[in-house]
């Protein structure tokens, strides 16, 4: 029987972030693998995500794309998982979600492309320069055990994954604060299970 929650993904994609989030949520879901050799640009998949990229989820007929949006959505629709602070306590939660989706993503992408904004361009790129982004993030991961405070939440899945990948691939400077934070969140059972699933799919 088809489940109400479906993940469209590829194990070599940001879909790993959403897989981790789904394992944290603990609700049953189906997985539909989307290959890069044509299927991702097929009419059927473009009807789900017109951007032609993964991941995406469909929950009870509702489609959500973009990793940050998916993580925030899942935290809200499955509140029993405890992955979002109460609404009145979400200032840091929202702040770091949007920081990771905006300045951090842009800075890392530009660095990967070899783009370094000039001093004049720094006024318009939205993140100043890579060093500024990392300094701000460095302070955030030292301020509390988790980005939203004392409790692990969906923002740690999303922003934390970007830190982890950055450390792995060299797009984020290795700092002790980042390494300690990543060690703290990547040891979670849901993260380990998500990796096992996606690594098995890569082997298959």
């Amino acid at each position: 029987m088809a489940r109400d929650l479906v993940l469209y993904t590829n194990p070599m994609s940001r879909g790993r972030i959403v897989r981790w989030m789904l394992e944290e949520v603990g609700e049953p879901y189906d997985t539909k693998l989307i290959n890069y050799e044509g299927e991702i640009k097929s009419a059927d998949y473009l009807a789900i995500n017109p951007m032609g990229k993964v991941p995406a989820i469909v929950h009870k007929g509702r489609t959500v794309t973009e990793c940050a949006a998916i993580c925030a959505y899942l935290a809200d629709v499955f509140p029993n998982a405890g992955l979002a602070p109460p609404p009145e306590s979400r200032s840091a939660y929202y702040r770091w979600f949007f920081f990771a989706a905006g300045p951090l993503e842009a800075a890392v992408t530009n660095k990967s492309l070899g783009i370094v904004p000039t001093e004049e361009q720094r006024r318009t790129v939205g993140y100043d320069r890579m060093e500024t982004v990392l300094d701000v993030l460095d302070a955030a991961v030292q301020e509390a055990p988790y980005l939203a405070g004392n409790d692990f939440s969906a923002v740690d899945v999303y922003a934390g994954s970007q830190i982890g990948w950055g450390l792995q691939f060299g797009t984020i400077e290795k700092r002790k604060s980042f390494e300690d934070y990543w060690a703290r969140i990547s040891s979670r059972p849901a993260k380990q299970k998500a990796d096992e699933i996606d690594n098995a799919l890569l082997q298959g």
Side-chain angles (χ1 to χ4, degrees):
M1 176 183 285
R3 295 190 171 104
D4 288 337
L5 181 56
V6 181
L7 167 65
Y8 294 82
T9 188
N10 185 291
M12 294 182 65
S13 76
R14 289 175 173 84
R16 283 179 171 262
I17 300 175
V18 176
R19 172 88 67 190
W20 178 10
M21 184 65 191
L22 285 165
E23 292 302 324
E24 292 283 357
V25 165
E27 295 289 332
Y29 65 94
D30 288 331
T31 299
K32 292 195 176 181
L33 295 179
I34 304 296
N35 67 54
Y36 291 123
E37 290 74 42
E39 189 175 9
I40 201 163
K41 299 296 184 182
S42 68
D44 286 346
Y45 187 65
L46 289 175
I48 294 167
N49 188 350
M51 290 292 290
K53 64 178 186 177
V54 287
I57 65 165
V58 175
H59 177 231
K60 295 183 177 180
R62 298 185 290 268
T63 300
V64 189
T65 66
E66 309 308 319
C67 285
I70 295 170
C71 289
Y73 174 86
L74 290 171
D76 282 347
V77 296
F78 298 110
N80 289 341
L83 293 167
E88 68 275 9
S89 302
R90 291 187 184 179
S91 56
Y93 178 78
Y94 287 134
R95 177 184 182 184
W96 299 116
F97 248 127
F98 285 91
F99 182 88
L104 179 59
E105 177 95 17
V108 169
T109 298
N110 281 353
K111 179 180 178 180
S112 300
L113 296 174
I115 299 171
V116 179
T118 65
E119 187 169 351
E120 184 66 26
Q121 291 170 332
R122 282 163 52 186
R123 298 179 182 179
T124 59
V125 293
Y127 64 85
D128 187 59
R129 57 181 182 151
M130 187 66 171
E131 292 81 359
T132 304
V133 171
L134 294 184
D135 288 346
V136 169
L137 193 59
D138 192 333
V141 298
Q142 293 186 70
E143 186 174 339
Y146 303 104
L147 285 170
N150 291 323
D151 298 314
F152 179 88
S153 71
V155 72
D156 295 298
V157 175
Y158 178 67
S161 291
Q162 293 200 43
I163 292 172
W165 283 346
L167 293 173
Q168 180 180 354
F169 296 110
T171 54
I172 286 180
E173 176 187 324
K174 287 189 176 181
R175 301 186 184 185
K176 186 176 185 303
S177 61
F178 296 152
E179 293 175 323
D180 289 349
Y181 169 72
W182 178 239
R184 188 157 58 248
I185 64 172
S186 63
S187 62
R188 292 178 63 84
K191 168 62 172 167
Q192 300 298 312
K193 183 178 178 183
D195 283 345
E196 287 177 11
I197 294 170
D198 279 321
N199 290 341
L201 289 172
L202 280 175
Q203 298 301 321

